[in-house]
């Protein structure tokens, strides 16, 4: 390492260390533990102690912030007491429908509400229509005749709520409630209700916002509808509208509601602040929460209930803001920016050291085995693993991690059966071995398999890193254009330092990224341990219900079992290490068999540590969100949100600075793998395609280096385009990784296994075996072939491919007379080289 790199590494270490040890500030948008606890207590107290609709509001608030405990049971008691009381029964059914443990029970209460909606004699039809809208029930299809009849009638309260309910289940490109308001609803109460519905639904075209704002400002100050017209306009003002004078007037009028003597005004203000996520007005909500300025001049049942309603609304608003408005601080952004720039600096420094193609592709062939081992680990354990392993642990439990028990056997198989055979022939591309033993056709098939594998792998890395992590952590809006630009920046930075620095830059940055990746996982565990007060209190003492039943044996029709996990891990590591150019490239970058084994050992040991840490991260994050369910999205659980809980914790659970550090860790894992993929795929395209089929004379060494750099650029662009298609694959994060990334792992190794270990293997037999293997992989991944679980894709495709290759080769050799076998070709080539 030269002096400039030493200085850069020293600076990076000191900077990161200072962030970890001296960053003690809190994010500005954090609710103190005292006020958070008070918010919980207020919601629970109001739900249990207040009467009827105040109780309903508190229960719904609890459900919206993930505090479902006790809600269903409380309202079952209310049902037994007040089922026949109109209109309160509608509120009871609404809460029970929202909190029902099963879909059948939810539908039971929805049917009751629909029954009231259809009943022309019912005194609470208006409440039923409002509730159906809030529950998202598509009345246009479930109660079409009733809906059509009401909408053809007078524009009163029932008409407004029915129109709102009729919008459910429809494509919401516009909001007919806005047109109804602008065209004129005469009575104040229906105008209020229409404005409330508009506020809840949104979908206001930008060119119509000014009309809504004018309508709100022109509404008489004495009108009870004015507040809800103002809040509807306030809710849905776009960035451009927020610069207008109308918006500023509306905002001032809404903030003035904190002094209102009307509970509805104060509740509307609290919800407006929560919707905007504006922590600068936290003091208003805290004042409501603590009841600093109570409603009414004297304490009685009515004023007590009104104040309780406002307090519950403030509690909900504070918890919802904390749940939805966390974002990275300026310090976090600085850390991420320094990291991205640092990677390009490293690429530039190493670009000065590459004199020829061998330097660029193999680092000169004499690289440090420990550094190369860390690089191999960082390559195999990409951001896919960094994000999917904790999610898999959260959703399905620790069964998948029992696969590490296969590591000693993996080391023995790869180190003593595969590495010696690779090192025996000094080649640049691993697939030269296939041509030596089986011919050009098998080398080209392997090249196709490898390029397909790595392009899909890199595309998946970009897609998952951007969609699961970056969008969540960095707070970008989840739009196609944002996803595209973020993906371009991610792959762009990687292309720059990879195409400049070659394998030396890849390995050096991989070492840094390995440390950041492991450090981020370790920091998460430490901080959650501090939160719970010990390093073991967050570890489950029993098998959780949502993990399902665990099994020991091997069963292709079971998603997970101990035996399946060990077998899948064994096959994946052996197949990847024994056929993937990215692995073999690193073995060939060392001096001899001994150092190559050391490289692989370092990779396995680091992978074991990383998987162990990421498994613990999954358990720690699971415990954190079970203890803080308010951070989960509405009507979601730790199981349904398993894949995004780790990225979410980075925002809600880490202090300033460390959030940026762990976010950089995720970027590190992604760029580490992308850089390796760019280097390896460019190497294969150059060695196995361009050099073979190019009719031009052999280019100069300088031209070769320029060509390989250009290839890396085009590989990156193609990968970016491919990443946009990955979103169509169904399944949780781990399933997507297995379906897409592991599709070609076993088929590729089938070719190497036949070329290395089956003496009578023929090119035609192996070619057919490879096709059978990929066919089985596709059938299992996307068509549930023979009910084989998708996680069993690697064993199923490997065994079927080897069996088919052996059978076809035997027939080709023994019965069709093909004497061009692996054994004969290998002996002939070796003799020629002597």
């Amino acid at each position: 390492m030269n002096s400039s790199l030493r200085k850069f590494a020293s600076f990076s270490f000191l900077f990161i260390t200072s962030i970890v040890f001296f960053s003690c500030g809190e994010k500005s948008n954090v609710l103190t533990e005292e006020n958070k606890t008070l918010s919980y207590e207020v919601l629970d107290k109001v739900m249990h102690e207040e009467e009827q609709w105040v109780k309903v509001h508190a229960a719904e608030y609890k459900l919206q912030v993930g505090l479902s405990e006790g809600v269903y049971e409380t309202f079952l008691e209310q049902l037994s007491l007040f089922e026949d009381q109109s209109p309160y029964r509608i509120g009871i059914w609404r809460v029970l429908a929202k909190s029902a443990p099963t879909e059948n029970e939810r539908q039971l209460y929805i049917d009751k509400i629909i029954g009231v909606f259809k009943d022309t004699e019912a005194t609470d039809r208006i409440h039923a229509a409002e509730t159906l809208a809030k529950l998202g029930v598509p009345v246009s299809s479930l109660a079409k005749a009733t809906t059509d009849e009401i909408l053809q009638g007078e524009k009163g309260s029932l008409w407004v709520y029915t129109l709102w309910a009729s919008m459910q289940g429809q494509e919401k490109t516009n909001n007919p409630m806005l047109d109804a308001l602008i065209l004129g609803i005469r009575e104040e109460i229906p105008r209020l209700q229409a404005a409330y519905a508009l506020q809840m639904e949104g979908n206001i075209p930008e060119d119509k916002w000014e009309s809504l704002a004018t309508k709100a400002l022109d509404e008489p100050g004495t009108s009870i509808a004015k507040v809800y017209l103002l809040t509807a306009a306030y809710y849905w003002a776009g960035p451009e509208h927020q610069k207008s004078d109308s918006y500023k007037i509306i905002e001032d009028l809404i903030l003035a509601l904190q002094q209102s003597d009307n509970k509805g005004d104060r509740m509307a203000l609290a919800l407006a602040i929560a919707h905007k996520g504006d922590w600068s007005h936290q003091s208003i909500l805290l004042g409501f929460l603590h009841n600093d300025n109570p409603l009414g001049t004297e304490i009685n049942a009515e004023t007590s209930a009104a104040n309780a309603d406002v307090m519950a609304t403030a509690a909900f608003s504070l918890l919802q803001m904390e749940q939805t408005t966390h974002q990275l601080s300026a310090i976090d952004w600085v850390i991420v920016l320094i990291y991205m720039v640092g990677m390009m600096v490293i690429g530039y420094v190493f670009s000065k050291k590459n004199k020829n193609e061998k330097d660029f592709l193999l680092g000169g062939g004499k690289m440090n085995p420990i550094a190369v081992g860390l690089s191999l680990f960082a390559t195999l354990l990409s951001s896919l693993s960094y994000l999917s392993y904790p999610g898999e642990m959260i959703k399905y439990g620790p069964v998948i991690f029992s696969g590490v028990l296969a590591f000693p056997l993996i080391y023995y198989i790869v180190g003593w059966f595969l590495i010696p055979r690779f090192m025996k022939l000094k080649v640049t591309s691993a697939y030269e071995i296939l041509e030596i033993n089986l011919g050009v056709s098998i080398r080209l098939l392997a090249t196709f398999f490898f390029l397909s594998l790595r392009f899909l792998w890199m595309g998946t890395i970009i897609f998952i890193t951007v969609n699961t992590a970056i969008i969540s952590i960095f707070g970008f809006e989840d739009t196609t254009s944002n996803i595209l630009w973020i993906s371009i920046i991610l792959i762009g930075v990687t292309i720059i330092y990879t195409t400049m620095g070659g394998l030396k830059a890849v390995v050096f940055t991989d070492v840094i990224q390995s440390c950041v990746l492991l450090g981020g996982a370790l920091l998460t565990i430490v901080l959650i341990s501090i939160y719970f007060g010990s390093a073991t209190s967050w570890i489950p003492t029993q098998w959780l219900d949502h993990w399902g039943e665990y099994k020991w044996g091997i069963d292709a029709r079971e998603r997970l079992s101990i035996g399946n996990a060990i077998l899948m891990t064994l096959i994946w590591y052996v197949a990847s290490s024994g056929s993937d150019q990215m692995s073999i490239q690193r073995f060939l970058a060392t001096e001899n068999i001994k150092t190559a084994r050391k490289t692989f050992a370092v990779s396995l040991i680091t992978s074991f540590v990383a998987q162990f840490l990421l498994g613990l991260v999954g358990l720690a994050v699971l415990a954190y969100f079970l203890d803080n369910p308010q951070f989960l999205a509405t009507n979601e659980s730790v199981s349904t949100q398993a894949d995004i809980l780790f990225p979410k914790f980075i925002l809600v659970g880490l202090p300033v600075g460390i959030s940026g550090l762990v976010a950089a860790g995720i970027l590190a894992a992604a760029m580490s793998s992308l850089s390796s993929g760019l280097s390896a795929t460019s190497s294969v395209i150059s060695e196995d395609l361009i050099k073979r089929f190019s009719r031009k004379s052999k280019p100069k060494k300088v031209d070769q280096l320029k060509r390989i750099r250009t290839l890396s650029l085009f590989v990156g662009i193609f990968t970016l385009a491919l990443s946009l298609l990955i979103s169509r694959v169904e399944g949780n994060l781990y399933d997507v990784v297995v379906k897409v990334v592991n599709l070609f792992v076993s088929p590729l190794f089938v070719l190497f296994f036949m070329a290395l270990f089956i003496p009578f293997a023929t090119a035609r037999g192996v070619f057919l075996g490879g096709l059978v293997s990929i066919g089985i992989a596709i059938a299992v991944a996307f068509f549930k072939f023979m009910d084989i679980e998708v996680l069993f894709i690697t064993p199923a495709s490997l065994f079927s491919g080897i069996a088919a290759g052996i059978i076809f080769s035997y027939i080709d050799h023994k019965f069709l007379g093909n004497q061009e076998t692996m054994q004969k070709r290998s002996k002939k080539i070796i003799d020629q080289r002597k």
Side-chain angles (χ1 to χ4, degrees):
M1 189 188 302
N2 62 26
S3 59
S4 59
L5 282 177
R6 285 195 186 96
K7 291 178 181 178
F8 176 78
S10 300
F11 171 77
S12 300
F13 176 78
L14 290 174
F15 182 81
I16 292 172
T17 303
S18 66
I19 289 295
V20 173
F21 288 101
F22 299 108
S23 174
C24 56
E26 290 188 344
K27 295 183 175 72
S28 60
N29 54 342
V30 170
L31 190 61
T32 65
E33 286 299 319
E34 180 182 356
N35 286 321
K36 186 189 300 184
T37 301
L38 178 59
S39 298
Y40 297 156
E41 292 173 351
V42 165
L43 287 177
D44 203 52
K45 181 178 179 180
V46 172
M47 185 187 74
H48 284 102
E49 296 182 4
E50 294 300 327
E51 297 296 326
Q52 300 205 350
W53 290 102
V54 178
K55 184 188 292 286
V56 168
H57 295 157
E60 290 183 307
Y61 291 152
K62 288 191 66 172
L63 292 173
Q64 281 185 261
V65 295
L67 304 172
S68 59
E69 184 177 357
V71 174
Y72 190 67
E73 294 76 13
T74 297
F75 276 80
L76 282 178
E77 293 177 6
Q78 293 293 294
L79 183 66
S80 66
L81 296 172
F82 303 106
E83 184 170 15
D84 296 327
Q85 186 178 116
S86 172
Y88 181 47
R89 61 179 180 172
I90 299 294
I92 296 173
W93 293 338
R94 187 165 81 206
V95 174
L96 289 173
K98 288 183 175 182
S99 59
T102 67
E103 184 59 34
N104 288 338
E105 290 178 81
R106 168 183 161 83
Q107 193 59 49
L108 171 68
Y109 299 114
I110 289 176
D111 290 342
K112 288 178 179 290
I113 300 167
I114 291 177
V116 173
F117 176 64
K118 291 179 177 179
D119 185 359
T120 58
E121 301 298 322
T123 59
D124 47 1
R125 288 186 81 195
I126 294 173
H127 294 81
E130 178 190 9
T131 287
L132 291 171
K134 288 183 174 180
L135 291 174
V137 177
V139 297
S140 295
S141 58
L142 297 180
K144 188 177 187 308
T146 302
T147 301
D148 291 344
E149 180 183 353
I150 294 172
L151 293 180
Q152 291 169 8
E154 184 181 352
K155 294 181 179 179
S157 296
L158 182 59
W159 182 91
V160 169
Y161 284 135
T162 301
L163 176 62
W164 183 12
S166 71
M167 295 162 57
Q168 310 309 310
Q170 308 294 323
E171 185 177 353
K172 299 178 182 180
T173 56
N174 200 348
N175 194 330
M177 200 68 70
L178 177 61
D179 295 329
L181 274 167
I182 293 174
L183 292 174
I185 298 176
R186 295 180 181 177
E187 298 179 17
E188 284 187 10
I189 292 179
R191 276 206 309 279
L192 178 155
Q193 292 161 338
Y196 176 70
L198 188 64
Q199 170 186 306
M200 297 294 287
E201 286 295 320
N203 305 307
I204 300 173
E206 289 190 13
D207 59 345
K208 290 188 176 182
W209 182 86
E210 197 61 49
S211 298
L212 174 61
T214 301
K215 181 74 175 176
L217 291 172
D218 289 347
E219 186 78 8
T222 57
S223 169
I224 60 175
K226 187 176 183 69
V227 168
Y228 290 94
L229 284 165
L230 290 171
T231 52
Y234 185 65
Y235 268 46
W236 304 111
E240 289 302 316
H241 300 137
Q242 292 178 26
K243 300 175 183 177
S244 67
D245 292 336
S246 298
Y247 178 82
K248 293 174 183 176
I249 295 171
I250 289 171
E251 185 175 41
D252 290 340
L253 290 171
I254 289 174
L255 292 175
L257 295 175
Q258 61 184 298
Q259 302 301 328
S260 172
D261 290 329
N262 182 282
K263 80 163 186 176
D265 292 350
R266 294 191 180 189
M267 292 169 69
L269 171 58
L271 294 173
I273 293 173
H275 181 81
K276 288 293 186 181
D278 190 348
W279 284 91
S280 65
H281 299 311
Q282 181 182 182
S283 59
I284 297 175
L285 297 179
L286 292 176
F288 290 165
L289 178 68
H290 291 274
N291 201 23
D292 292 339
N293 182 25
L295 294 164
T297 55
E298 59 182 43
I299 299 176
N300 54 42
E302 184 178 352
T303 59
S304 177
N307 283 310
D309 223 357
V310 173
M311 292 170 66
T313 305
F316 160 73
S317 299
L318 288 164
L319 292 173
Q320 186 184 52
M321 281 171 53
E322 188 185 42
Q323 175 179 316
T324 59
T325 62
H326 284 79
Q327 57 188 3
L328 294 180
S329 68
I331 293 176
D332 296 317
W333 279 98
V334 168
I335 293 173
V336 174
L337 182 61
I338 287 177
Y339 179 84
M340 300 286 274
V341 173
M343 294 301 101
M344 290 188 282
V345 170
I346 292 172
Y348 174 76
V349 172
F350 276 111
S351 69
K352 305 298 182 181
K353 292 177 169 290
N354 292 320
K355 305 302 181 184
N356 53 49
E357 193 175 12
K358 185 176 181 181
D359 281 342
F360 188 88
L361 295 176
L362 296 179
K366 296 182 179 181
M367 299 191 69
N368 184 290
I370 295 178
V372 176
L374 284 173
S375 174
L376 180 57
F377 148 75
T379 296
L380 298 178
L381 199 73
S382 65
S383 60
L384 301 182
S385 304
Y386 200 56
L387 295 171
S388 65
Y389 278 14
E392 183 72 10
M393 174 69 90
I394 292 168
K395 189 165 187 174
Y396 293 107
V399 170
I400 190 66
F401 296 94
S402 58
V404 297
L405 297 174
F407 275 20
L409 182 56
I410 292 168
Y411 176 66
Y412 178 72
I413 293 174
V414 175
W416 272 263
F417 287 90
L418 296 178
I419 286 178
R421 293 173 185 261
F422 296 144
M423 301 298 287
K424 186 176 182 180
L425 295 172
K426 288 294 183 179
V427 293
T428 303
S429 169
Y431 308 117
E432 292 179 54
I433 298 170
L434 297 176
E435 182 176 357
I436 290 171
N437 288 1
L438 288 172
V440 176
S441 63
I442 301 304
R443 179 173 181 175
L444 292 178
L445 181 63
T447 300
F448 169 75
F449 281 176
F450 171 77
L451 293 176
S452 299
L453 166 64
R454 284 305 151 204
F455 277 124
L456 288 171
W457 178 71
M458 290 188 291
T460 305
I461 287 173
I462 294 175
F463 167 74
I464 288 179
T465 301
V466 173
N467 286 265
T468 301
I470 294 179
I471 290 293
S472 300
I473 295 171
F474 291 85
F476 296 113
E477 188 177 351
D478 189 5
T479 64
T480 302
S481 60
N482 279 347
I483 290 173
L484 178 60
W485 280 111
I486 295 167
S487 301
I488 289 173
I489 293 172
L490 180 66
I491 192 69
V493 172
T494 308
I495 288 173
I496 289 171
Y497 79 74
T498 303
T499 55
M500 286 194 301
L503 186 65
K504 291 177 182 177
V506 169
V507 170
F508 186 84
T509 53
D510 280 353
V511 172
I512 296 174
Q513 290 160 348
S514 298
C515 297
V516 174
L517 186 151
L518 296 177
L522 186 59
L523 275 172
T524 298
I525 293 170
V526 169
L527 290 171
I528 291 180
S529 296
I530 293 172
Y531 171 83
F532 281 103
S534 77
T536 58
S537 56
W538 46 265
I539 298 176
T541 56
Q542 60 184 7
W543 194 263
L544 302 183
D545 291 338
H546 73 266
W547 285 347
E549 182 182 359
Y550 67 88
K551 299 183 179 180
W552 291 93
I554 296 176
D555 187 344
R557 299 186 181 186
E558 287 290 336
R559 189 184 191 280
L560 276 180
S561 69
I562 302 296
N564 284 5
I566 294 174
L567 180 63
M568 288 185 294
T569 302
L570 174 66
I571 290 176
W572 187 88
Y573 270 95
V574 170
S576 294
S577 303
S579 64
D580 195 323
Q581 168 71 2
M582 294 200 305
S583 298
I584 299 173
Q585 184 183 37
R586 283 162 174 74
F587 298 148
L588 297 175
T590 60
E591 291 188 83
N592 50 49
I593 293 175
K594 184 177 179 180
T595 54
R597 284 175 181 158
K598 186 175 182 180
T599 290
F600 187 62
V602 170
S603 169
L604 276 183
I605 292 169
T606 317
S607 293
F608 172 80
V609 172
Q611 289 189 39
F612 181 73
L613 278 177
L614 290 174
L616 292 180
V617 166
L619 291 178
V621 169
L622 170 62
Y624 182 84
F625 284 100
L626 287 175
D627 197 58
N628 293 276
Q630 75 277 6
F631 292 132
L632 301 174
T634 304
N635 298 323
E636 297 288 353
S637 66
V638 291
S639 178
T640 58
Q641 290 201 297
D643 287 335
I644 66 169
L645 290 189
F646 184 25
K648 185 185 285 283
F649 176 80
I650 293 172
L651 281 180
V652 303
L654 298 183
V656 169
I658 296 181
S659 290
L661 190 62
V662 180
I666 293 177
L667 291 176
M671 291 194 293
S672 166
S673 300
L674 287 173
S675 63
S676 297
L678 290 172
S679 178
T681 51
S682 299
S683 170
V684 169
I685 293 173
S686 175
E687 294 294 320
D688 292 73
L689 296 179
I690 294 179
K691 284 186 178 180
R692 175 174 297 281
F693 297 108
S694 177
R695 296 179 181 179
K696 296 181 181 180
S697 59
K698 186 176 180 181
K700 298 177 182 179
K701 290 184 178 181
V702 176
D703 293 336
Q704 290 176 333
L705 186 54
K706 183 178 179 181
R707 181 182 65 191
I708 202 72
R709 284 173 168 162
T710 304
L711 273 176
S712 295
L713 175 62
F714 282 107
V715 167
I717 294 172
F718 182 75
T719 299
L720 177 64
L722 187 62
S723 70
L724 302 178
L725 303 176
I726 304 296
S727 60
R728 299 179 181 274
V729 180
E730 297 180 354
N732 77 323
L733 185 57
Y734 196 79
D735 286 347
V736 171
V737 172
V738 171
K739 285 182 180 180
V740 177
V741 176
N742 289 354
L743 201 62
F744 288 89
V745 170
S746 288
L748 186 56
F749 184 63
V750 166
L751 307 183
F752 276 87
F753 181 86
M754 298 295 293
L756 295 174
F757 299 107
I758 306 300
F760 57 84
T762 66
R764 288 181 298 198
V766 173
F767 197 96
L768 290 174
L771 295 182
V772 168
S773 182
I774 189 59
I776 292 296
I778 294 172
V780 171
F782 300 104
F783 301 99
K784 200 76 172 178
F785 177 67
M786 295 180 64
D787 289 329
I788 297 174
E789 279 292 330
V790 67
L791 298 190
F792 214 77
I793 184 174
T794 47
S797 57
L798 177 67
F799 296 142
S800 60
I802 290 176
I806 290 174
I807 292 171
F808 290 139
S809 291
Y810 186 80
I811 293 173
D812 189 33
H813 177 58
K814 289 293 185 181
F815 297 101
L816 300 181
N818 185 357
Q819 299 302 309
E820 189 75 359
T821 64
M822 180 275 283
Q823 189 176 48
K824 287 187 177 181
R825 284 185 60 89
S826 178
K827 185 176 185 302
K828 181 179 178 181
I829 295 294
I830 293 174
D831 289 342
Q832 289 176 351
R833 290 192 174 187
K834 289 180 179 179

